[in-house]
Structures are given as C-alpha cells and as structure tokens.
Amino acid sequence: MAITHLASTRDLSDEALLAILRDARLFVSELGHRHDRTETLAGRNIALAFFEPSTRTRLSFETAAHRLGASTVVFLPHGSSVEKGETLLETMATIEAMRFDVIVVRHSANGIIDQVIANSHVSIINAGEGTTSHPTQALLDMATLVEHYGDLSGKRVCIIGDVRHSRVARSQIDLGRRLGMEFAICSPLELQPDHQDPFFSECAQFSSIDEAAAWADVMSLLRIQRERITDVILPELADYRAFYSMTSERARRMTDKVIIHPGPVNLGVEIDAEVLDMKHCLIHRQVTHGVAVRMAVLKHVLLSRHAT
Ligand code: CP
C-alpha cells in the first residue's frame, strides 16, 4: 500500500476531488448538530506541526480530527527545541517517532513539504507552504462556491490583490479550472505574479477591481502578505484602496457577485469591515467549510490508501 499525501492539488485525481467535495457537503450539513461526531477515524493519531502562525487552518484541522473521533497534538516552534537549533527535518523525525498516522504541516519556506515527504514514513498534509500552495484552502473555496452556485462550470473568478506572494492563488486556479471555472487576476504591478508561470499565463488581466467586476462572478480577494514581502515596495494605501479594495461602496454596487477571501483579512486595506456582514460575502461560510473539507481530507488521506 502506498502512503497517501496531500502536498498539492495535483495529488488529487478528479475522482478524489469530487469525492472530497461530496463528503464535505455531507459533513457541512451535520456541523453544529448533536450527531456531528463520528468514530470514522477512532484510534487515529494526528499531529499538527505549524511552523508559522495560523488560526483558521489549525483550529479547523483540529476540530475536523476531533469530529471524526481522532486524537490530536499540536506542535508550535515557540517554546520547542527549534529554539535550541533543532532542524526542521529532525523535528519532523522526532514527531514521527512518536507514532502518528498523519502529520499536518504548515511552513513559510517554499519546497519544504516535498522535502518533508521525501524523509517521512507517514502521511503528510500541506496546511499552507511559502508562496507556493495551500490545497485545503482551495478545496474549501470550491466547497463554498459549489454550495452557493451548484455547478461551477463557466463561472468566472477574478483573484484580486497580492497574487505574487499568495500561497492560495495557484491552488485555487488549479481546482477551479478542473471544475470548469475561468480565472483572471487584478493586481498592482508590484504584486503581480510571474506571467510566464503556467498557472497565470492564461489568466485574463484587469487593472482595477471595477474593471474586473464587469467580467467576474466571483471576487476572490487576497491580503497583502506583508510577512512574505522582501522583494518589492508596497503601494500606498490610498492608491490600493482606489483600485483594488472591496470598499463598502463597491460591495453595495456588486451584489450580483460573491466575495471570498482566505483570511485573515486586513480591514480597511483589501476589504472594509462592513462588507463582512453583507449577504454576498461568503468569508465566514468559507471558515465553516474549512472544518467540513478538512474532515473530508483526513478521511481521504487515512482511509483511501491506494495499492501501488
Ligand atoms: N486562510 C488561512 O490559511 O488562514 P490561517 O492563516 O488563519 O490558517
């Protein structure tokens, strides 16, 4: 039997993608009900190794594991032997030696997940890596949009903001295209991605959120990823708000669109606080789907082991 990993969306066959979305739909309908706890993963042990801060991903993986009857431990670098100079791979080997069935890993460096998988004997799930990928975020984005629209084919998504430093954009484009969606990007010059990158080379481009709104059904906002930016000078806030922000005034004009954002949001920068409570803003629904999708992912990784 081969170990199932989830390093990127490319690890999911179309069949697995649809199965995860189907399971997530079932799980999301049960969330908050008394019967939402199952024993599906009873006896399984899951480690969450988060080398970078997180609220949504960490809490939702932990909640998902508990709702499926699995046990969890959380590793955070602060207060750990990382502070004494222990390397990432030695930390991972130490966690693995305590016998877990799956280790969920978040890290700020590109390429770390593949490196961890190459040295691991248990399933690894990418919970967000550098500026490359965030497969479970993209899955929950798709689950949220499927709940809203049903069929996604032909729907148009414009990704707005800091595409250059985003870990979400490629994962969202890959899954969205496989479900029949079209993508565009809308970013200031400094925050545009490499247009030779095959994920972005076929995306339409818009120079303002108002121009994008004439084309898109889904306004997929991104935060300016300040903690990852070392290579460019950021635009002035007033310029950013003028061309790329989902201000309250714009959101009131765009009620025929839906607004999504992976979070955390920077209020007053890419989105105004008032927008969060608008009916066509699905940001909090994305968070709810985060639990359901991660339940479906844990089930897929732990129970769908395939023969080599
Ligand atoms: N979207 C996302 O990954 O959020 P967190 O950093 O809070 O996990």
Side-chain angles (χ1 to χ4, degrees):
M1 298 283 273
I3 295 172
T4 303
H5 301 289
L6 180 56
S8 92
T9 51
R10 298 281 167 98
D11 289 330
L12 295 172
S13 63
D14 289 346
E15 188 189 358
L17 166 60
L18 295 178
I20 288 171
L21 292 177
R22 257 196 320 273
D23 278 349
R25 185 110 184 100
L26 184 69
F27 289 136
V28 85
S29 68
E30 292 174 352
L31 289 178
H33 295 283
R34 224 181 307 183
H35 61 275
D36 72 353
R37 286 185 76 91
T38 72
E39 295 301 308
T40 308
L41 299 182
R44 306 299 181 121
N45 297 307
I46 297 170
L48 308 169
F50 276 62
F51 293 86
E52 190 202 68
S54 164
T55 299
R56 289 149 202 79
T57 313
R58 182 157 70 86
L59 289 185
S60 61
F61 263 115
E62 212 172 349
T63 305
H66 293 169
R67 289 202 168 135
L68 292 172
S71 70
T72 56
V73 297
V74 176
F75 167 85
L76 301 175
H78 179 67
S80 80
S81 290
V82 168
E83 293 182 344
K84 301 176 194 163
E86 188 166 65
T87 65
L88 170 83
L89 289 182
E90 191 45 31
T91 299
M92 292 302 296
T94 302
I95 295 172
E96 191 177 319
M98 295 181 198
R99 300 281 184 234
F100 291 96
D101 299 291
V102 56
I103 308 178
V104 179
V105 183
R106 165 168 290 197
H107 203 286
S108 59
N110 293 350
I112 283 290
I113 300 291
D114 282 345
Q115 215 182 316
V116 166
I117 287 175
N119 289 279
S120 167
H121 304 95
V122 298
S123 293
I124 300 295
I125 298 176
N126 176 358
E129 181 202 73
T131 57
T132 63
S133 54
H134 197 349
T136 61
Q137 176 66 47
L139 282 164
L140 76 86
D141 295 341
M142 294 305 129
T144 307
L145 293 173
V146 167
E147 179 184 62
H148 184 82
Y149 287 117
D151 184 6
L152 298 187
S153 62
K155 295 291 179 216
R156 293 167 160 182
V157 183
C158 188
I159 304 180
I160 301 152
D162 183 7
V163 183
R164 185 187 185 95
H165 305 97
S166 172
R167 61 177 50 148
V168 175
R170 287 183 192 79
S171 301
Q172 192 179 84
I173 289 172
D174 180 45
L175 292 190
R177 282 185 176 151
R178 286 160 63 183
L179 295 169
M181 303 181 96
E182 290 176 56
F183 281 83
I185 57 174
C186 174
S187 307
L189 197 58
E190 310 87 305
L191 302 178
Q192 287 181 14
D194 174 3
H195 293 287
Q196 307 302 315
D197 183 326
F199 283 98
F200 303 112
S201 57
E202 288 178 22
C203 287
Q205 274 194 72
F206 296 106
S207 53
S208 77
I209 192 167
D210 295 307
E211 200 183 286
W215 177 88
D217 301 295
V218 179
M219 310 299 272
S220 177
L221 306 177
L222 294 174
R223 180 173 65 89
I224 298 178
Q225 328 277 318
R226 288 179 189 278
E227 72 281 14
R228 290 178 216 148
I229 297 179
T230 51
D231 54 342
V232 294
I233 297 169
L234 292 175
E236 293 293 328
L237 178 61
D239 294 337
Y240 195 85
R241 280 183 64 80
F243 294 102
Y244 306 102
S245 258
M246 186 59 75
T247 60
S248 304
E249 181 274 321
R250 281 193 176 109
R252 277 193 290 273
R253 274 195 277 122
M254 296 181 189
T255 51
D256 58 331
K257 323 282 168 210
V258 298
I259 298 164
I260 61 172
H261 188 309
V265 295
N266 283 159
L267 296 175
V269 184
E270 74 272 9
I271 190 166
D272 284 352
E274 196 190 334
V275 180
L276 297 179
D277 295 324
M278 294 186 186
K279 260 176 86 174
H280 60 306
C281 177
L282 305 183
I283 293 175
H284 291 139
R285 197 64 193 152
Q286 286 174 272
V287 176
T288 302
H289 275 96
V291 175
V293 153
R294 286 164 181 133
M295 289 170 79
V297 165
L298 290 172
K299 185 181 151 196
H300 167 77
V301 167
L302 284 166
L303 301 184
S304 332
R305 293 180 173 216
H306 46 80
T308 45

Short mmCIF file of all heavy atoms in Angstrom, two decimals, residues 255-305:
data_model
loop_
_atom_site.label_atom_id
_atom_site.label_comp_id
_atom_site.label_asym_id
_atom_site.label_seq_id
_atom_site.Cartn_x
_atom_site.Cartn_y
_atom_site.Cartn_z
N THR A 255 -23.71 43.43 -5.78
CA THR A 255 -24.47 42.37 -5.09
C THR A 255 -24.74 41.18 -6.00
O THR A 255 -25.20 40.14 -5.53
CB THR A 255 -25.80 42.91 -4.52
OG1 THR A 255 -26.46 43.58 -5.59
CG2 THR A 255 -25.58 43.84 -3.36
N ASP A 256 -24.47 41.31 -7.30
CA ASP A 256 -24.62 40.15 -8.20
C ASP A 256 -23.35 39.29 -8.22
O ASP A 256 -23.30 38.28 -8.90
CB ASP A 256 -24.94 40.62 -9.63
CG ASP A 256 -23.87 41.56 -10.19
OD1 ASP A 256 -23.21 42.28 -9.40
OD2 ASP A 256 -23.68 41.55 -11.42
N LYS A 257 -22.32 39.68 -7.48
CA LYS A 257 -21.07 38.89 -7.36
C LYS A 257 -21.06 38.21 -6.01
O LYS A 257 -21.80 38.61 -5.10
CB LYS A 257 -19.81 39.79 -7.40
CG LYS A 257 -19.86 40.95 -8.33
CD LYS A 257 -19.61 40.52 -9.74
CE LYS A 257 -19.94 41.64 -10.72
NZ LYS A 257 -20.38 41.10 -12.01
N VAL A 258 -20.18 37.21 -5.86
CA VAL A 258 -19.89 36.78 -4.49
C VAL A 258 -18.46 37.16 -4.16
O VAL A 258 -17.59 37.23 -5.04
CB VAL A 258 -20.15 35.27 -4.25
CG1 VAL A 258 -21.61 34.93 -4.47
CG2 VAL A 258 -19.24 34.39 -5.06
N ILE A 259 -18.23 37.39 -2.88
CA ILE A 259 -16.92 37.84 -2.40
C ILE A 259 -16.35 36.73 -1.52
O ILE A 259 -17.02 36.28 -0.57
CB ILE A 259 -17.07 39.14 -1.57
CG1 ILE A 259 -17.63 40.27 -2.45
CG2 ILE A 259 -15.73 39.54 -0.94
CD1 ILE A 259 -18.16 41.46 -1.66
N ILE A 260 -15.14 36.29 -1.85
CA ILE A 260 -14.46 35.32 -0.99
C ILE A 260 -13.07 35.86 -0.63
O ILE A 260 -12.54 36.75 -1.31
CB ILE A 260 -14.36 33.90 -1.63
CG1 ILE A 260 -13.56 33.92 -2.93
CG2 ILE A 260 -15.76 33.32 -1.86
CD1 ILE A 260 -13.28 32.52 -3.50
N HIS A 261 -12.50 35.32 0.42
CA HIS A 261 -11.17 35.76 0.91
C HIS A 261 -10.69 34.64 1.84
O HIS A 261 -11.46 34.17 2.68
CB HIS A 261 -11.35 37.07 1.68
CG HIS A 261 -10.07 37.76 2.08
ND1 HIS A 261 -9.04 37.11 2.76
CD2 HIS A 261 -9.66 39.03 1.94
CE1 HIS A 261 -8.05 37.96 2.99
NE2 HIS A 261 -8.40 39.15 2.50
N PRO A 262 -9.43 34.18 1.71
CA PRO A 262 -8.99 33.08 2.57
C PRO A 262 -8.84 33.47 4.03
O PRO A 262 -8.84 32.59 4.91
CB PRO A 262 -7.62 32.69 1.98
CG PRO A 262 -7.17 33.89 1.20
CD PRO A 262 -8.42 34.59 0.74
N GLY A 263 -8.72 34.78 4.31
CA GLY A 263 -8.46 35.23 5.67
C GLY A 263 -7.01 34.92 6.05
O GLY A 263 -6.38 34.06 5.45
N PRO A 264 -6.46 35.61 7.05
CA PRO A 264 -7.10 36.71 7.77
C PRO A 264 -7.23 37.95 6.89
O PRO A 264 -6.42 38.15 5.99
CB PRO A 264 -6.14 36.96 8.94
CG PRO A 264 -4.81 36.49 8.46
CD PRO A 264 -5.08 35.35 7.53
N VAL A 265 -8.24 38.78 7.18
CA VAL A 265 -8.44 39.99 6.38
C VAL A 265 -7.72 41.17 7.04
O VAL A 265 -7.58 41.20 8.26
CB VAL A 265 -9.94 40.33 6.21
CG1 VAL A 265 -10.65 39.27 5.42
CG2 VAL A 265 -10.63 40.54 7.56
N ASN A 266 -7.26 42.09 6.22
CA ASN A 266 -6.75 43.37 6.74
C ASN A 266 -7.83 44.41 6.47
O ASN A 266 -7.96 44.91 5.34
CB ASN A 266 -5.44 43.76 6.06
CG ASN A 266 -4.24 42.97 6.59
OD1 ASN A 266 -3.22 42.89 5.93
ND2 ASN A 266 -4.36 42.40 7.79
N LEU A 267 -8.62 44.69 7.52
CA LEU A 267 -9.75 45.60 7.35
C LEU A 267 -9.24 46.99 6.98
O LEU A 267 -8.25 47.47 7.53
CB LEU A 267 -10.58 45.65 8.63
CG LEU A 267 -11.25 44.32 8.99
CD1 LEU A 267 -11.95 44.42 10.34
CD2 LEU A 267 -12.23 43.87 7.91
N GLY A 268 -9.93 47.60 6.02
CA GLY A 268 -9.54 48.94 5.58
C GLY A 268 -8.47 48.91 4.52
O GLY A 268 -8.09 49.95 3.98
N VAL A 269 -7.93 47.73 4.23
CA VAL A 269 -6.95 47.62 3.14
C VAL A 269 -7.64 46.93 1.96
O VAL A 269 -8.17 47.61 1.08
CB VAL A 269 -5.67 46.87 3.59
CG1 VAL A 269 -4.63 46.86 2.45
CG2 VAL A 269 -5.09 47.50 4.84
N GLU A 270 -7.71 45.58 1.96
CA GLU A 270 -8.34 44.93 0.80
C GLU A 270 -9.86 44.80 0.95
O GLU A 270 -10.56 44.49 -0.02
CB GLU A 270 -7.70 43.56 0.52
CG GLU A 270 -8.06 42.45 1.49
CD GLU A 270 -7.12 42.41 2.70
OE1 GLU A 270 -6.32 43.34 2.85
OE2 GLU A 270 -7.21 41.44 3.49
N ILE A 271 -10.38 45.04 2.15
CA ILE A 271 -11.83 44.91 2.36
C ILE A 271 -12.24 45.79 3.54
O ILE A 271 -11.47 45.96 4.50
CB ILE A 271 -12.20 43.42 2.60
CG1 ILE A 271 -13.71 43.19 2.58
CG2 ILE A 271 -11.60 42.91 3.91
CD1 ILE A 271 -14.09 41.70 2.47
N ASP A 272 -13.45 46.34 3.48
CA ASP A 272 -13.97 47.12 4.60
C ASP A 272 -14.75 46.22 5.55
O ASP A 272 -15.38 45.24 5.12
CB ASP A 272 -14.90 48.23 4.09
CG ASP A 272 -14.12 49.39 3.48
OD1 ASP A 272 -12.87 49.40 3.59
OD2 ASP A 272 -14.75 50.28 2.88
N ALA A 273 -14.76 46.60 6.83
CA ALA A 273 -15.41 45.76 7.86
C ALA A 273 -16.88 45.51 7.55
O ALA A 273 -17.39 44.41 7.72
CB ALA A 273 -15.26 46.44 9.22
N GLU A 274 -17.55 46.53 7.05
CA GLU A 274 -19.00 46.42 6.77
C GLU A 274 -19.31 45.31 5.76
O GLU A 274 -20.37 44.69 5.80
CB GLU A 274 -19.47 47.78 6.23
CG GLU A 274 -20.95 47.99 6.25
CD GLU A 274 -21.35 49.26 5.48
OE1 GLU A 274 -20.52 50.18 5.37
OE2 GLU A 274 -22.47 49.29 5.00
N VAL A 275 -18.36 45.06 4.85
CA VAL A 275 -18.59 44.07 3.78
C VAL A 275 -18.75 42.66 4.36
O VAL A 275 -19.49 41.84 3.83
CB VAL A 275 -17.43 44.11 2.75
CG1 VAL A 275 -17.65 43.10 1.64
CG2 VAL A 275 -17.25 45.52 2.19
N LEU A 276 -18.07 42.40 5.48
CA LEU A 276 -18.08 41.04 6.05
C LEU A 276 -19.49 40.57 6.39
O LEU A 276 -19.77 39.38 6.37
CB LEU A 276 -17.21 40.99 7.32
CG LEU A 276 -15.72 41.27 7.12
CD1 LEU A 276 -15.00 41.22 8.46
CD2 LEU A 276 -15.10 40.29 6.15
N ASP A 277 -20.37 41.50 6.70
CA ASP A 277 -21.75 41.13 7.09
C ASP A 277 -22.73 41.16 5.92
O ASP A 277 -23.92 40.92 6.11
CB ASP A 277 -22.25 42.07 8.20
CG ASP A 277 -21.45 41.87 9.47
OD1 ASP A 277 -21.06 40.72 9.75
OD2 ASP A 277 -21.17 42.88 10.16
N MET A 278 -22.24 41.46 4.73
CA MET A 278 -23.16 41.51 3.57
C MET A 278 -23.46 40.09 3.10
O MET A 278 -22.61 39.20 3.19
CB MET A 278 -22.54 42.34 2.44
CG MET A 278 -22.40 43.81 2.81
SD MET A 278 -21.84 44.79 1.39
CE MET A 278 -21.61 46.39 2.16
N LYS A 279 -24.68 39.91 2.57
CA LYS A 279 -25.14 38.57 2.19
C LYS A 279 -24.29 37.92 1.11
O LYS A 279 -24.13 36.70 1.08
CB LYS A 279 -26.59 38.64 1.71
CG LYS A 279 -27.58 38.23 2.78
CD LYS A 279 -28.99 38.40 2.34
CE LYS A 279 -29.52 37.18 1.59
NZ LYS A 279 -30.97 37.36 1.30
N HIS A 280 -23.75 38.73 0.19
CA HIS A 280 -22.97 38.14 -0.91
C HIS A 280 -21.49 37.98 -0.55
O HIS A 280 -20.68 37.64 -1.41
CB HIS A 280 -23.15 38.95 -2.20
CG HIS A 280 -22.71 40.39 -2.11
ND1 HIS A 280 -23.16 41.26 -1.15
CD2 HIS A 280 -21.85 41.10 -2.88
CE1 HIS A 280 -22.61 42.45 -1.34
NE2 HIS A 280 -21.80 42.36 -2.38
N CYS A 281 -21.15 38.20 0.72
CA CYS A 281 -19.79 37.96 1.19
C CYS A 281 -19.77 36.60 1.89
O CYS A 281 -20.46 36.41 2.90
CB CYS A 281 -19.35 39.08 2.14
SG CYS A 281 -17.73 38.79 2.83
N LEU A 282 -18.99 35.65 1.37
CA LEU A 282 -19.05 34.26 1.86
C LEU A 282 -17.88 33.92 2.79
O LEU A 282 -17.60 32.74 3.03
CB LEU A 282 -19.05 33.30 0.66
CG LEU A 282 -20.14 33.52 -0.41
CD1 LEU A 282 -20.06 32.45 -1.49
CD2 LEU A 282 -21.54 33.52 0.23
N ILE A 283 -17.20 34.93 3.30
CA ILE A 283 -15.95 34.68 4.05
C ILE A 283 -16.18 33.81 5.28
O ILE A 283 -15.43 32.86 5.53
CB ILE A 283 -15.27 36.02 4.41
CG1 ILE A 283 -14.79 36.71 3.13
CG2 ILE A 283 -14.10 35.80 5.37
CD1 ILE A 283 -14.20 38.09 3.32
N HIS A 284 -17.23 34.08 6.04
CA HIS A 284 -17.46 33.25 7.24
C HIS A 284 -17.97 31.86 6.85
O HIS A 284 -17.68 30.87 7.52
CB HIS A 284 -18.39 33.96 8.22
CG HIS A 284 -17.73 35.17 8.83
ND1 HIS A 284 -18.36 36.36 9.04
CD2 HIS A 284 -16.44 35.35 9.24
CE1 HIS A 284 -17.51 37.23 9.57
NE2 HIS A 284 -16.33 36.65 9.70
N ARG A 285 -18.67 31.77 5.74
CA ARG A 285 -19.12 30.45 5.25
C ARG A 285 -17.89 29.63 4.80
O ARG A 285 -17.87 28.41 4.96
CB ARG A 285 -20.09 30.68 4.08
CG ARG A 285 -20.94 29.49 3.74
CD ARG A 285 -21.88 29.08 4.86
NE ARG A 285 -22.45 27.76 4.61
CZ ARG A 285 -22.85 26.92 5.56
NH1 ARG A 285 -22.76 27.24 6.83
NH2 ARG A 285 -23.35 25.75 5.25
N GLN A 286 -16.87 30.32 4.27
CA GLN A 286 -15.62 29.61 3.92
C GLN A 286 -15.02 28.95 5.16
O GLN A 286 -14.54 27.83 5.10
CB GLN A 286 -14.60 30.58 3.31
CG GLN A 286 -14.89 31.02 1.89
CD GLN A 286 -13.91 32.09 1.45
OE1 GLN A 286 -14.14 33.28 1.67
NE2 GLN A 286 -12.80 31.70 0.85
N VAL A 287 -15.05 29.68 6.27
CA VAL A 287 -14.46 29.13 7.51
C VAL A 287 -15.23 27.88 7.94
O VAL A 287 -14.63 26.86 8.32
CB VAL A 287 -14.45 30.19 8.63
CG1 VAL A 287 -13.93 29.59 9.93
CG2 VAL A 287 -13.60 31.39 8.21
N THR A 288 -16.56 27.93 7.87
CA THR A 288 -17.36 26.74 8.23
C THR A 288 -17.00 25.58 7.31
O THR A 288 -16.81 24.44 7.76
CB THR A 288 -18.86 27.07 8.12
OG1 THR A 288 -19.14 28.18 8.98
CG2 THR A 288 -19.72 25.89 8.53
N HIS A 289 -16.88 25.86 6.01
CA HIS A 289 -16.50 24.80 5.08
C HIS A 289 -15.08 24.29 5.36
O HIS A 289 -14.75 23.16 5.00
CB HIS A 289 -16.60 25.29 3.63
CG HIS A 289 -17.99 25.14 3.07
ND1 HIS A 289 -18.91 26.16 3.07
CD2 HIS A 289 -18.62 24.07 2.54
CE1 HIS A 289 -20.04 25.72 2.55
NE2 HIS A 289 -19.89 24.46 2.22
N GLY A 290 -14.25 25.13 5.98
CA GLY A 290 -12.89 24.69 6.31
C GLY A 290 -12.90 23.45 7.18
O GLY A 290 -12.09 22.53 6.99
N VAL A 291 -13.81 23.40 8.14
CA VAL A 291 -13.90 22.22 9.01
C VAL A 291 -14.38 21.01 8.20
O VAL A 291 -13.77 19.94 8.24
CB VAL A 291 -14.85 22.48 10.20
CG1 VAL A 291 -15.03 21.22 11.03
CG2 VAL A 291 -14.32 23.62 11.07
N ALA A 292 -15.45 21.20 7.43
CA ALA A 292 -16.04 20.09 6.67
C ALA A 292 -15.05 19.53 5.65
O ALA A 292 -14.90 18.31 5.50
CB ALA A 292 -17.31 20.55 5.99
N VAL A 293 -14.35 20.43 4.95
CA VAL A 293 -13.40 19.99 3.93
C VAL A 293 -12.23 19.25 4.58
O VAL A 293 -11.75 18.23 4.07
CB VAL A 293 -12.91 21.21 3.10
CG1 VAL A 293 -11.53 20.99 2.52
CG2 VAL A 293 -13.91 21.50 2.00
N ARG A 294 -11.79 19.73 5.72
CA ARG A 294 -10.64 19.05 6.37
C ARG A 294 -11.06 17.71 6.96
O ARG A 294 -10.24 16.79 7.02
CB ARG A 294 -9.97 20.01 7.36
CG ARG A 294 -9.19 21.06 6.56
CD ARG A 294 -8.76 22.28 7.24
NE ARG A 294 -8.05 23.14 6.29
CZ ARG A 294 -8.26 24.45 6.14
NH1 ARG A 294 -9.14 25.09 6.89
NH2 ARG A 294 -7.57 25.13 5.24
N MET A 295 -12.32 17.60 7.35
CA MET A 295 -12.83 16.26 7.73
C MET A 295 -12.73 15.34 6.51
O MET A 295 -12.25 14.21 6.61
CB MET A 295 -14.29 16.35 8.20
CG MET A 295 -14.48 17.02 9.55
SD MET A 295 -16.22 17.38 9.94
CE MET A 295 -16.78 15.76 10.48
N ALA A 296 -13.18 15.84 5.36
CA ALA A 296 -13.18 15.02 4.14
C ALA A 296 -11.74 14.68 3.72
O ALA A 296 -11.46 13.56 3.27
CB ALA A 296 -13.91 15.77 3.02
N VAL A 297 -10.83 15.63 3.88
CA VAL A 297 -9.42 15.39 3.50
C VAL A 297 -8.79 14.34 4.43
O VAL A 297 -8.09 13.43 3.97
CB VAL A 297 -8.62 16.71 3.52
CG1 VAL A 297 -7.12 16.46 3.50
CG2 VAL A 297 -9.02 17.58 2.34
N LEU A 298 -9.03 14.46 5.73
CA LEU A 298 -8.46 13.48 6.67
C LEU A 298 -9.00 12.09 6.36
O LEU A 298 -8.26 11.10 6.37
CB LEU A 298 -8.77 13.87 8.11
CG LEU A 298 -8.02 15.11 8.64
CD1 LEU A 298 -8.56 15.52 10.01
CD2 LEU A 298 -6.51 14.87 8.70
N LYS A 299 -10.29 12.01 6.05
CA LYS A 299 -10.89 10.72 5.70
C LYS A 299 -10.23 10.18 4.42
O LYS A 299 -9.84 9.01 4.36
CB LYS A 299 -12.40 10.92 5.49
CG LYS A 299 -13.15 9.65 5.25
CD LYS A 299 -14.64 9.92 5.03
CE LYS A 299 -15.19 8.82 4.12
NZ LYS A 299 -16.48 9.15 3.54
N HIS A 300 -10.06 11.04 3.43
CA HIS A 300 -9.43 10.62 2.16
C HIS A 300 -8.00 10.12 2.40
O HIS A 300 -7.62 9.05 1.93
CB HIS A 300 -9.43 11.80 1.18
CG HIS A 300 -8.57 11.58 -0.01
ND1 HIS A 300 -8.94 10.78 -1.07
CD2 HIS A 300 -7.32 12.03 -0.32
CE1 HIS A 300 -7.98 10.76 -1.97
NE2 HIS A 300 -6.98 11.50 -1.54
N VAL A 301 -7.24 10.89 3.15
CA VAL A 301 -5.82 10.53 3.35
C VAL A 301 -5.68 9.27 4.20
O VAL A 301 -4.85 8.40 3.92
CB VAL A 301 -5.06 11.72 3.99
CG1 VAL A 301 -3.69 11.30 4.51
CG2 VAL A 301 -4.91 12.84 2.97
N LEU A 302 -6.53 9.12 5.20
CA LEU A 302 -6.35 7.99 6.13
C LEU A 302 -7.10 6.73 5.70
O LEU A 302 -6.68 5.63 6.07
CB LEU A 302 -6.79 8.40 7.54
CG LEU A 302 -5.76 9.30 8.22
CD1 LEU A 302 -6.35 9.97 9.44
CD2 LEU A 302 -4.52 8.50 8.61
N LEU A 303 -8.17 6.88 4.94
CA LEU A 303 -8.95 5.69 4.61
C LEU A 303 -8.92 5.31 3.14
O LEU A 303 -9.36 4.23 2.79
CB LEU A 303 -10.43 5.88 5.03
CG LEU A 303 -10.68 6.15 6.51
CD1 LEU A 303 -12.17 6.20 6.79
CD2 LEU A 303 -10.01 5.12 7.40
N SER A 304 -8.39 6.19 2.26
CA SER A 304 -8.39 5.83 0.83
C SER A 304 -7.00 5.45 0.36
O SER A 304 -6.60 5.89 -0.71
CB SER A 304 -8.88 6.97 -0.04
OG SER A 304 -9.74 7.78 0.64
N ARG A 305 -6.26 4.72 1.16
CA ARG A 305 -4.92 4.33 0.72
C ARG A 305 -5.04 3.44 -0.50
O ARG A 305 -5.87 2.56 -0.56
CB ARG A 305 -4.19 3.60 1.83
CG ARG A 305 -3.92 4.56 2.96
CD ARG A 305 -3.21 3.90 4.08
NE ARG A 305 -2.85 4.93 5.04
CZ ARG A 305 -1.73 4.94 5.74
NH1 ARG A 305 -0.87 3.97 5.61
NH2 ARG A 305 -1.48 5.91 6.56
#
